Amino acid sequence: CKYIFIHAHCYSYMTPELIEKAKKDPQAFGQLYDILYPEVYKFIFFRVSRIEIAEDLLSAIWEKVLLNLHTFQSNHPTVFKVWIFRIARNTLYEQYRKSPKEDYVPLENFDIPDETSVDGDLKIEEQQKYLQQLLRHLPPLESEIICLRYFSDLKNKEIANILNISEKMVAAYLSRALKNLRTYL
């Protein structure tokens, strides 16, 4: 759960050579997993109602990545990251269709689980809850774009590729979402 609050993660270690090597070497795949796991976790966690569901989805996502890695054609790190987030998004929506509605809720209805720890963790928890309350007022696509941009540190171009919309549309939705959040503040 601590992955939620880690924001700075370095993609510089995700090289084309590492991506190619990961197709055959479990240790290299483990390195890619370590690099991308926090951002994928944050994206999934903020879209589901419980940590257990997020963990189950993450297992399914990484299993799909592992099983299909040999089919991945490009070794460009950005393309690879987009590919993984598409798998994550598709897996999430597959589960929405299969599972009872009460197990999955849109971001705007999600309550962050309580954590009791030192004062710093409690302050972070309060900030996260406040942000979550603000995001409830946004349409689902705007909430998703906010999650991808700020929780998963993706660029607008990457988000556009994941959502199959133009980069200009991502920028427009993001601008509108931020403007709406400012009015709620």
Side-chain angles (χ1 to χ4, degrees), residues 73-140:
Q73 297 299 316
S74 172
N75 288 338
H76 193 279
T78 300
V79 175
F80 184 71
K81 189 168 50 168
V82 167
W83 181 69
I84 288 181
F85 272 92
R86 276 193 181 157
I87 291 172
R89 187 172 191 252
N90 291 339
T91 302
L92 180 65
Y93 288 125
E94 284 171 17
Q95 291 300 317
Y96 280 152
R97 288 188 294 271
K98 290 180 190 175
S99 297
K101 295 284 187 208
E102 58 271 4
D103 283 348
Y104 297 90
V105 294
L107 176 64
E108 58 272 6
N109 297 330
F110 177 69
D111 288 322
I112 295 173
D114 290 331
E115 289 183 11
T116 54
S117 184
V118 294
D119 290 340
D121 285 345
L122 292 175
K123 186 174 182 177
I124 290 170
E125 178 187 346
E126 287 176 22
Q127 291 171 346
Q128 293 291 328
K129 283 185 179 183
Y130 181 64
L131 175 60
Q132 179 265 326
Q133 289 172 353
L134 292 176
L135 290 173
R136 286 182 181 171
H137 299 288
L138 298 178

Side-chain angles (χ1 to χ4, degrees), residues 10-23 28-29 31-33 35-36 69 72-81 84:
C10 183
Y11 290 107
S12 63
Y13 299 114
M14 189 169 56
T15 63
E17 296 79 24
L18 181 61
I19 294 167
E20 190 58 37
K21 188 176 178 184
K23 293 178 179 181
F29 180 80
Q31 290 175 327
L32 288 176
Y33 173 90
I35 292 167
L36 290 167
L69 186 58
F72 182 72
Q73 297 299 316
S74 172
N75 288 338
H76 193 279
T78 300
V79 175
F80 184 71
K81 189 168 50 168
I84 288 181

